[in-house]
């Protein structure tokens, strides 16, 4: 299946004198993390199926600098940003979509001040738009009536006020969307943000992802839906910690849709 | 002789207000120790935010019980202050109930003050119970011992006493009116204090006058004391919530400001025409300190934030790090910033207005690295704050200092940053392998 993926790079299109409609910013997790790569592929399958004209930067993509910035290394962040902006501006990129809320936030909010002005969308927003334009049709079959709870990624929700796009997609799958005790504006972090993903947690009496997973489990879900590769990892670990991996799956919205469409 | 009370009153009033003005000046000087930031943009949005969040208390109702009680106390205090205006005029001129000629309207005013006063008393009692008997978790974090804990209760006692004095004064007044005492014109409507008046049955006119006068004096002196207590208390938020919500962050919460000093350096480094070996220009300013290690490195808005914090702990109770037992508490970040700023202010007071290095700073002496590194930058604290305080921005500014000035990041983070620098990803993968997922099964 996977070798059927059509993933043009900006360089290839440029050489052929073409300009894609949108750049798919894959991100570091989406490129290298085994779990996140599955999300990347699921999203590409949807893009292929709906004939979206897109390209990736491939080896020309580099970390947005988000984890450096949240760690306090503004210098490294800006070096990364300026380098990426140079590449993107050289290709005349106008619109970007990404499956990572951290990349989304940084590209959308922090790049403009450094000369990178793009219309940036999170993949759930992009998919919702495809749905509204009639390019993507969803059939509920696979998830009809399944209990799905959505974990709000901090950098999508509170940070950028995107709460509805992922929820609408879940509803369109005919699934039963159940909300956790703290959701939307009051959603609890999975514990990965602010570069926590890359370090051991400070001393405490519990890990944040376990706390959040417990909240998710209270809703008795069959699936915990996520919209961020880091949240996905944290929640997957949390579910394992609770020894529930046999009955509860953690899935990205893109994966839900790709599976529902048998892609 | 007959003017003694007027003169005394005017003196006390002048003293109370004078002292208050002195404190406000100190407050404004301390806030100005912060770095300048441009917040002159988007005035209409800023006014709207102030009207909605400070005046309209929009964030308070997220938690309905304390939210509604708080609105009662808040509305009560604003409205009852109209009465203070009358008291002041009466005090200066030696009149009694100078607004009485307003007739029916005056009755309605006094009547509503009384009902509000009663509601305020009920709300205060519930607040007290929540703090002292129910012992709500957010009031019992480690930073809430000693003065902050006392402060919370003192405010409640103050308000309770003021309201009781107000109602007792009215009760005695009402009784005097009934008895047709001279000077006590029949005016006002007393839905609450008429019940207090019943206790005064059988009291002589002179006793009642003493009761009425004592309450009147204690009430106004109490208000002046309370006014001056603000500066030392979390209760300062009743004034500062307004400017603070006005100057609150307007950009998306996820957008952290780009450090301009760093941008300058990065531009020079990336500019192929720049000569890296060129001697710095004569007038080149001293290289700026990156990030913040003390209050003077923060912006004045962040310092205003610190004085505005009402120590309610909504931020801390939503903080994922705090919920899971880490030392980090965003409320403590704000309290520490205020405490350190006060310390710097006192230092300046005793050194003719200049700060003399005291070998201390906000970082380490107040806020530890352990707290700073526990933050997930999730913005839950910012979202929760009812008065638009941004504890996260302070955490991030100090992290910048730790990393860029001291290279003091935890080693895991140093590895991560090393990877970004060398291979453009936080993990040790080769940038040339970035598209391998395409062909992997
Ligand atoms: S941003 Fe940091 S301090 Fe604020 S709630 Fe989240 S983890 Fe706590
Ligand atoms: S920062 Fe805001 S939410 Fe936190 S204690 Fe202070 S006033 Fe309350």
């Amino acid at each position: 299946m996977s070798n059927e993926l059509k993933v043009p790079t900006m360089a290839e299109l440029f050489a052929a004198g073409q300009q894609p409609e949108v750049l798919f910013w894959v991100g570091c997790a989406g490129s290298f993390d085994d779990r996140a790569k599955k999300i990347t592929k699921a999203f590409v399958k949807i893009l292929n199926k709906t004939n979206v004209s897109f390209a990736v930067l491939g080896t020309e993509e580099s970390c947005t600098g988000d984890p450096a910035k949240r760690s306090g290394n503004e210098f490294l962040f800006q070096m990364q940003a300026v380098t990426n902006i140079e590449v993107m501006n050289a290709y005349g990129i106008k619109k970007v979509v990404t499956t990572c809320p951290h990349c989304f936030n940084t590209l959308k909010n922090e790049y403009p001040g450094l000369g990178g002005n793009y219309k940036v969308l999170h993949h759930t927003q992009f998919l919702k738009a495809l749905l509204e334009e009639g390019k993507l049709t969803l059939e509920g079959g696979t998830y009809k009536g399944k209990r799905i709870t959505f974990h709000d990624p901090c950098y999508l929700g509170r940070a950028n006020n995107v709460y509805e796009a992922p929820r609408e997609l879940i509803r369109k799958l005919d699934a039963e969307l159940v909300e956790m005790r703290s959701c939307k504006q009051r959603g609890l972090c999975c514990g990965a943000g602010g570069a926590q993903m890359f370090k051991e947690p400070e001393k405490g009496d519990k890990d944040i992802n376990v706390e959040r997973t417990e909240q998710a489990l209270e809703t008795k879900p069959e699936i915990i839906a996520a919209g961020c590769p880091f949240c996905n990892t944290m929640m997957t670990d949390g579910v394992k910690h609770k020894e529930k991996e046999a009955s509860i799956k953690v899935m990205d919205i893109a994966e839900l849709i790709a599976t529902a469409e048998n892609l | 002789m007959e003017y003694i009370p007027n003169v005394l009153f005017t003196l006390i009033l002048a003293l109370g207000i004078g002292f208050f003005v002195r404190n406000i000046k100190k407050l404004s000087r301390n806030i100005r120790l912060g770095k300048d930031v441009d917040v002159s943009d988007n005035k209409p949005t800023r006014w709207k935010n102030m009207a909605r969040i400070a005046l309209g208390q929009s964030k308070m109702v997220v938690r309905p019980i304390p939210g509604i009680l708080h609105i009662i106390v808040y509305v009560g205090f604003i409205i009852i202050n109209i009465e203070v205006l009358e008291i002041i005029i009466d005090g200066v001129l030696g009149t009694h109930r100078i607004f009485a000629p307003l007739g029916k309207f005056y009755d309605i005013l006094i009547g509503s003050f009384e009902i509000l006063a009663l509601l305020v008393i009920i709300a205060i009692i519930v607040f007290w119970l929540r703090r002292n008997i129910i012992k709500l978790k957010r009031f019992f974090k480690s930073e809430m011992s000693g003065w902050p804990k006392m402060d919370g209760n003192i405010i409640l006692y103050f308000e309770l006493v003021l309201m009781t004095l107000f109602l007792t004064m009215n009760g005695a007044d009402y009784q005097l009116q009934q008895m047709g005492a001279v000077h006590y014109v029949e005016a006002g409507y007393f839905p609450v204090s008429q019940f207090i008046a019943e206790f005064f049955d059988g009291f002589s006119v002179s006793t009642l006058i003493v009761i009425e006068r004592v309450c009147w004096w204690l009430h106004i002196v109490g208000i002046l004391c309370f006014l001056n207590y603000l500066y030392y208390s979390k209760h300062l938020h009743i004034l500062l919530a307004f400017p603070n919500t006005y100057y609150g962050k307007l950009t998306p919460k996820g957008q952290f400001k780009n450090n301009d000093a760093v941008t300058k350096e990065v531009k020079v480094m990336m500019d192929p025409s720049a000569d890296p070996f060129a001697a710095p220009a004569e007038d080149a300013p001293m290289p700026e300190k990156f990030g913040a290690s003390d209050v003077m490195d923060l912006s004045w808005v962040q310092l205003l934030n610190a004085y505005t914090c009402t120590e309610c702990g909504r931020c801390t109770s939503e903080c994922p790090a705090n919920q899971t037992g880490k030392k980090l508490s965003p409320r403590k970040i704000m309290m520490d910033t205020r405490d350190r700023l006060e310390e710097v202010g006192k230092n300046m007071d005793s050194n003719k207005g200049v700060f003399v290095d005291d070998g201390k700073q906000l970082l380490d002496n107040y806020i530890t690295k352990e707290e700073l590194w526990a933050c997930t930058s999730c913005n839950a604290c910012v979202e929760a704050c009812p008065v638009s305080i941004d504890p996260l921005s302070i955490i991030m500014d100090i992290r910048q200092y730790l990393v860029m000035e001291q290279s003091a990041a935890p080693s895991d983070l140093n590895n991560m940053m090393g990877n970004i620098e060398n291979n453009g990803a936080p993990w040790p993968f080769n940038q040339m392998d970035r598209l391998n997922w395409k062909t992997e099964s």
Side-chain angles (χ1 to χ4, degrees):
Chain A
M1 280 285 280
S2 58
N3 42 15
E4 289 167 25
L5 291 180
K6 283 179 285 174
V7 192
T9 62
M10 287 304 296
E12 288 161 11
L13 293 191
F14 186 75
Q18 292 168 352
Q19 176 78 6
E21 242 167 66
V22 61
L23 168 74
F24 170 28
W25 184 276
V26 183
C28 299
S31 304
F32 293 120
D33 180 84
D34 285 333
R35 178 68 188 84
K37 281 193 268 191
K38 294 191 181 138
I39 303 170
T40 308
K41 286 186 202 170
F43 184 57
V44 168
K45 283 176 191 166
I46 304 170
L47 292 177
N48 284 168
K49 163 95 188 285
T50 50
N51 289 317
V52 171
S53 138
F54 78 100
V56 298
L57 281 170
T59 54
E60 289 184 281
E61 187 186 283
S62 186
C63 177
T64 57
D66 160 82
K69 188 173 177 86
R70 317 290 138 179
S71 299
N73 198 337
E74 179 75 8
F75 197 78
L76 179 55
F77 159 70
Q78 291 202 14
M79 293 291 280
Q80 288 296 118
V82 170
T83 315
N84 283 323
I85 289 168
E86 241 172 48
V87 174
M88 287 197 278
N89 287 357
Y91 283 126
I93 284 160
K94 303 264 171 337
K95 192 171 167 187
V96 184
V97 61
T98 173
T99 45
C100 173
H102 296 266
C103 297
F104 164 69
N105 177 70
T106 307
L107 293 168
K108 170 176 162 284
N109 296 323
E110 288 157 2
Y111 275 31
L114 299 166
N117 292 289
Y118 323 103
K119 180 168 173 48
V120 186
L121 295 169
H122 184 249
H123 68 308
T124 56
Q125 295 175 304
F126 190 81
L127 292 171
K128 185 176 162 247
L130 285 182
L131 203 68
E132 279 161 5
E133 292 160 17
K135 291 185 186 149
L136 176 68
T137 44
L138 287 183
E139 274 156 46
T142 326
Y143 296 106
K144 199 169 167 60
K146 286 223 157 119
R147 284 175 78 85
I148 302 183
T149 188
F150 179 68
H151 163 77
D152 286 284
C154 301
Y155 276 86
L156 184 65
R158 261 191 305 274
N160 288 294
N161 282 317
V162 180
Y163 300 106
E164 279 314 310
R167 288 183 166 76
E168 206 162 310
L169 292 167
I170 294 175
R171 280 190 217 107
K172 281 272 150 52
L173 288 169
D174 267 349
E176 187 191 346
L177 175 65
V178 281
E179 294 291 356
M180 285 183 243
R181 171 150 55 90
S182 50
C183 62
K184 300 184 188 167
Q185 278 85 352
R186 294 181 78 179
L188 181 72
C189 177
C190 70
Q196 295 296 333
M197 184 73 193
F198 306 99
K199 62 183 264 299
E200 287 303 313
E202 271 57 36
K203 211 163 91 323
D205 39 51
K206 204 185 218 174
D207 280 339
I208 296 173
N209 65 326
V210 173
E211 174 78 23
R212 184 52 167 170
T213 305
E214 285 170 359
Q215 290 190 357
L217 296 186
E218 281 171 17
T219 68
K220 309 232 176 316
E222 287 161 82
I223 294 166
I224 299 172
C228 168
F230 297 103
C231 298
N232 198 308
T233 305
M234 294 310 253
M235 297 306 280
T236 306
D237 288 351
V239 170
K240 274 192 201 135
H241 180 91
K242 292 266 146 195
E243 298 176 344
K244 288 275 189 247
E245 67 266 40
S247 54
I248 299 172
K249 278 201 218 139
V250 180
M251 289 178 82
D252 192 90
I253 304 270
E255 293 177 308
L256 288 175
I257 293 176
T259 319
E261 300 299 291
N262 288 317
L263 297 176
Chain B
M1 280 301 274
E2 60 171 314
Y3 291 113
I4 287 183
N6 311 28
V7 174
L8 193 65
F9 179 85
T10 312
L11 263 176
I12 292 176
L13 188 69
L15 209 70
I17 291 175
F19 207 72
F20 177 68
V21 168
R22 205 190 71 149
N23 278 341
I24 291 295
K25 277 192 182 148
K26 206 182 271 178
L27 184 75
S28 127
R29 179 204 63 186
N30 290 357
I31 289 173
R32 276 163 217 268
L33 291 175
K35 285 199 198 151
D36 203 15
V37 271
D38 184 16
V39 272
S40 59
D41 57 329
N42 291 303
K43 291 210 170 71
T45 317
R46 291 183 182 282
W47 284 111
K48 243 182 269 164
N49 282 351
M50 184 169 103
R52 194 169 48 87
I53 304 170
L55 202 64
Q57 310 248 309
S58 61
K59 290 261 186 158
M60 286 302 291
V61 285
V62 173
R63 299 184 183 206
I65 297 172
I68 289 165
L69 292 173
H70 186 268
I71 289 177
I72 290 174
V73 176
Y74 160 79
V75 172
F77 261 75
I78 289 189
I79 307 247
I80 294 168
N81 272 323
I82 304 175
E83 170 71 6
V84 174
L85 188 69
E86 183 182 45
I87 292 178
I88 289 175
I89 298 176
D90 280 345
V92 174
L93 302 181
T95 47
H96 187 72
R97 295 200 181 265
I98 189 150
F99 295 158
L102 293 174
K104 196 93 210 116
F105 181 61
Y106 188 75
D107 293 352
I108 296 171
L109 273 184
I110 298 290
S112 48
F113 295 158
E114 289 219 334
I115 290 166
L116 276 169
L118 182 68
L119 288 173
V120 168
I121 289 179
I122 294 169
I124 289 168
I125 292 172
V126 179
F127 280 148
W128 187 87
L129 291 172
R130 287 161 60 89
R131 266 177 197 270
N132 298 283
I133 307 295
I134 304 173
K135 295 194 194 278
L136 241 67
K137 231 164 89 195
R138 67 183 152 105
F139 298 126
F140 286 86
K141 299 278 173 180
S142 59
E143 66 269 21
M144 292 309 286
S145 52
W147 171 246
K149 182 174 184 283
M150 245 168 71
D151 183 26
N153 280 327
I154 289 175
I155 294 164
L156 295 179
Y157 299 143
F158 239 121
E159 290 173 346
L160 183 69
V161 169
L162 288 178
M163 290 298 110
T164 312
L165 287 169
F166 173 70
L167 288 175
T168 316
M169 169 185 95
N170 276 358
D173 197 304
Y174 178 66
Q175 187 72 2
L176 285 162
Q177 291 182 22
Q178 302 281 303
M179 294 163 80
V182 266
H183 208 64
Y184 287 88
V185 281
E186 242 184 272
Y189 170 60
F190 304 94
V192 178
S193 64
Q194 62 185 10
F195 296 103
I196 299 178
E198 284 175 16
F199 287 101
F200 298 143
D201 263 348
F203 282 40
S204 70
V205 167
S206 54
T207 317
L208 281 171
I209 290 181
V210 171
I211 293 175
E212 193 272 335
R213 283 293 89 190
V214 167
C215 289
W216 187 94
W217 277 96
L218 286 178
H219 178 244
I220 188 66
V221 170
I223 285 176
L224 289 173
C225 288
F226 200 39
L227 187 69
N228 280 295
Y229 178 70
L230 295 184
Y231 178 75
Y232 308 95
S233 159
K234 76 178 185 92
H235 216 54
L236 201 46
H237 78 281
I238 63 166
L239 302 175
L240 296 188
F242 293 90
N244 204 68
T245 48
Y246 180 89
Y247 292 118
K249 183 171 175 174
L250 297 180
T251 50
K253 290 197 185 63
Q255 177 175 342
F256 296 4
K257 65 176 194 308
N258 290 331
N259 186 320
D260 295 333
V262 172
T263 311
K264 263 185 251 153
E265 299 233 344
V266 169
K267 285 233 170 81
V268 173
M269 282 195 57
M270 303 292 280
D271 180 5
S273 64
D275 176 5
F277 303 108
E282 282 295 307
D283 56 353
M286 282 278 286
E288 246 182 281
K289 172 174 168 183
F290 296 124
S293 62
D294 209 347
V295 285
M296 299 80 115
D297 306 325
L298 296 170
S299 78
W300 66 262
V301 175
Q302 288 169 315
L303 301 184
L304 173 66
N305 276 189
Y307 274 122
T308 309
C309 176
T310 176
E311 298 169 13
C312 68
R314 281 173 174 72
C315 52
T316 295
S317 76
E318 299 278 315
C319 172
N322 195 277
Q323 279 180 34
T324 54
K326 276 72 172 185
K327 275 214 180 109
L328 173 64
S329 160
R331 166 173 57 191
K332 178 175 174 290
I333 301 286
M334 301 320 299
M335 292 167 70
D336 284 345
T337 305
R338 177 171 176 173
D339 288 349
R340 172 60 183 158
L341 183 53
E342 270 299 296
E343 186 177 54
V344 169
K346 290 210 182 90
N347 178 312
M348 292 173 71
D349 289 340
S350 49
N351 291 299
K352 301 196 185 74
V354 260
F355 176 66
V356 176
D357 189 11
D358 57 358
K360 287 202 219 164
Q361 56 176 8
L362 182 60
L363 171 64
D364 295 330
N365 296 101
Y366 287 82
I367 303 174
T368 62
K369 297 190 186 75
E370 184 180 341
E371 294 162 62
L372 294 163
W373 291 118
C375 174
T376 72
S377 74
C378 72
N379 264 305
C381 51
V382 183
E383 176 72 41
C385 181
V387 286
S388 306
I389 290 170
D390 186 349
L392 174 56
S393 68
I394 298 181
I395 296 174
M396 282 300 145
D397 284 353
I398 309 183
R399 277 193 185 182
Q400 285 194 358
Y401 175 83
L402 282 173
V403 171
M404 294 196 286
E405 294 285 344
Q406 298 206 310
S407 312
S411 62
D412 287 342
L413 289 188
N414 278 332
N415 290 339
M416 177 271 288
M417 292 186 280
N419 288 327
I420 294 182
E421 227 174 308
N422 298 323
N423 6 293
W427 300 288
F429 293 110
N430 193 321
Q431 187 162 0
M432 288 303 122
D433 295 336
R434 247 188 132 90
L435 200 50
N436 290 3
W437 56 268
K438 176 180 165 183
T439 45
E440 287 168 5
S441 55

